Amino acid sequence: MQRMTRQRSAVAELLADLDEFRSAQQLHEQLRHRGEGIGLATVYRTLQSLADGGEVDVLRSGEGEALYRRCARREHHHHLVCRTCRTTVEIDGPTVEAWAAQVGATHGFSDIEHTMELFGTCADCAADPSARSGSPSGSSGGPQNGSPSGSRSGSQTDPRTAPRTGPTTGA
Amino acid sequence: MQRMTRQRSAVAELLADLDEFRSAQQLHEQLRHRGEGIGLATVYRTLQSLADGGEVDVLRSGEGEALYRRCARREHHHHLVCRTCRTTVEIDGPTVEAWAAQVGATHGFSDIEHTMELFGTCADCAADPSARSGSPSGSSGGPQNGSPSGSRSGSQTDPRTAPRTGPTTGA
DNA sequence: AGACTCCTGAGAACGGTTGTCAAACTCCCG
DNA sequence: CGGGAGTTTGACAACCGTTCTCAGGAGTCT
């Protein structure tokens, strides 16, 4: 059975305070900034168990890094993510669910699942294209690392924010 | 300027022969089986340059591994991938493109992009759920590593095939 | 309180990917 | 066809995110 430890609740609390997708390492750093003594391995373990329990959603950044977010709804949904500030809107896609099932059937495929995320620039960021790349949901004095992709040093040609969720059985 | 070397054409040729998404390491192994003397770093470099040039499509497996495939069309399209044999069908999604743009606009987001892939079980695999996990496009005596996910040893709770493409400006 | 487990944390290990750099090779020119 | 300039290659190290290991610490039950 899952025990409620100080570390586990700290992670859950931080996720509740945030509104954007964050990597495990970002969350760890933020917890440290909050003064929580917590190990990186514990953050990974906790996030994984939360994800397994459907408590948090997981995306993959363009570089394959895992990003976590506590979504309001636990049912199937998609995300519309601001590529500048990472603000995320949960959206329904009945049109897409139906389309996916139909396309699959047309090609003779069964048991169709799909992954799909939308990326764009939110109204706020479009209005003020300058700074504003931190965490719009405030509350935590965490790191203001706006760029989701820029962790590698090399010549990554594709700096776009581009994650995906695990597939969810459609329609 | 890009020079045509033996290694580069070997990679291009292999990709032309294959019909499924393959990881860089799988491709490297397959090239070795073909008797091509080629370094792993070269395979990575070549794939990256091909991807940059839009010659090949890149997905991310559920574990974040990059998967490559030479698609027939270079324009925007999506993929319907068999989760068993990895056979891939290129598909159009005008419905989705329109839907994505509309949803983005509704929420005040601009410059909408999207990622989306479909997964299912193809007719062949559904009919014969036993073996058949190798490379359906034959031609190469490459490795028959059917499972795209099972490389890690740990307790990965999610063995689903679940990649994503880089986003493409929608609508 | 005491015992029994599970959880934690520091660091090692791991797997995929990229950087390094001398040697080999392509391409262009005469 | 031979030479020269500059790109590519390949073996290996380095990196980065993530997971494993295991002794010590903390929750839970009685």
Side-chain angles (χ1 to χ4, degrees):
Chain A
M1 192 243 292
Q2 198 59 257
R3 289 182 182 172
M4 185 46 62
T5 64
R6 175 177 60 78
Q7 293 88 340
R8 190 178 178 83
S9 40
V11 170
E13 207 170 302
L14 174 56
L15 285 170
D17 287 347
L18 293 175
D19 193 40
E20 318 86 49
F21 278 94
R22 284 285 155 90
S23 72
Q25 316 225 24
Q26 285 178 321
L27 292 169
H28 176 240
E29 193 179 342
Q30 236 154 320
L31 286 166
R32 282 259 144 109
H33 273 276
R34 282 190 172 192
E36 295 286 349
I38 185 170
L40 181 56
T42 303
V43 174
Y44 273 106
R45 268 186 301 243
T46 304
L47 287 172
Q48 184 158 303
S49 92
L50 289 174
D52 287 352
E55 305 262 351
V56 302
D57 279 14
V58 188
L59 293 198
R60 287 268 170 191
S61 80
E63 287 72 50
E65 196 178 8
L67 303 176
Y68 303 85
R69 178 178 189 269
R70 204 195 86 106
C71 287
R73 61 177 99 171
R74 298 180 57 137
E75 319 86 60
H76 172 55
H77 63 273
H78 299 285
H79 301 106
L80 170 56
V81 183
C82 175
R83 68 171 68 81
T84 301
C85 69
R86 272 186 166 179
T87 288
T88 300
V89 179
E90 299 171 32
I91 52 181
D92 283 316
T95 310
V96 177
E97 323 290 336
W99 173 85
Q102 185 227 306
V103 167
T106 299
H107 290 278
F109 280 59
S110 53
D111 194 14
I112 301 294
E113 297 178 332
H114 62 278
T115 69
M116 140 122 145
E117 307 300 334
L118 303 184
F119 304 94
T121 304
C122 72
D124 287 352
C125 289
D128 177 10
S130 56
R132 89 157 55 250
S133 59
S135 55
S137 66
S139 81
S140 76
Q144 298 287 98
N145 186 349
S147 165
S149 306
S151 60
R152 283 279 162 71
S153 58
S155 59
Q156 196 74 21
T157 319
D158 188 345
R160 299 170 291 191
T161 303
R164 57 145 274 283
T165 36
T168 37
T169 303
Chain B
M1 190 241 293
Q2 197 60 261
R3 287 181 183 174
M4 185 48 61
T5 64
R6 175 177 61 75
Q7 294 86 341
R8 189 178 179 85
S9 39
V11 171
E13 207 169 304
L14 174 56
L15 285 169
D17 287 347
L18 294 175
D19 193 40
E20 318 86 50
F21 278 94
R22 285 286 155 89
S23 72
Q25 315 225 26
Q26 286 178 320
L27 293 170
H28 176 239
E29 194 178 341
Q30 234 154 321
L31 286 166
R32 281 260 146 105
H33 274 275
R34 281 188 172 194
E36 294 286 349
I38 185 171
L40 181 56
T42 301
V43 173
Y44 273 105
R45 270 187 300 243
T46 304
L47 288 172
Q48 183 157 304
S49 92
L50 288 174
D52 287 352
E55 305 262 349
V56 301
D57 280 13
V58 188
L59 294 198
R60 287 267 169 191
S61 80
E63 287 72 50
E65 197 179 8
L67 303 176
Y68 303 85
R69 177 178 189 269
R70 204 195 86 107
C71 287
R73 59 177 100 171
R74 298 181 57 137
E75 320 84 60
H76 172 56
H77 63 274
H78 300 284
H79 302 106
L80 170 56
V81 183
C82 175
R83 68 170 68 82
T84 301
C85 68
R86 272 185 167 179
T87 289
T88 301
V89 179
E90 299 171 33
I91 53 182
D92 282 317
T95 310
V96 177
E97 323 290 336
W99 173 84
Q102 185 226 306
V103 167
T106 299
H107 290 278
F109 280 58
S110 53
D111 195 14
I112 300 295
E113 298 178 333
H114 63 277
T115 70
M116 142 122 143
E117 306 302 333
L118 303 183
F119 304 96
T121 304
C122 72
D124 286 351
C125 289
D128 177 10
S130 56
R132 87 157 56 250
S133 59
S135 55
S137 67
S139 82
S140 76
Q144 297 287 100
N145 185 352
S147 165
S149 306
S151 60
R152 282 282 158 71
S153 58
S155 60
Q156 195 74 23
T157 320
D158 187 344
R160 298 169 294 190
T161 304
R164 59 144 273 284
T165 36
T168 38
T169 304

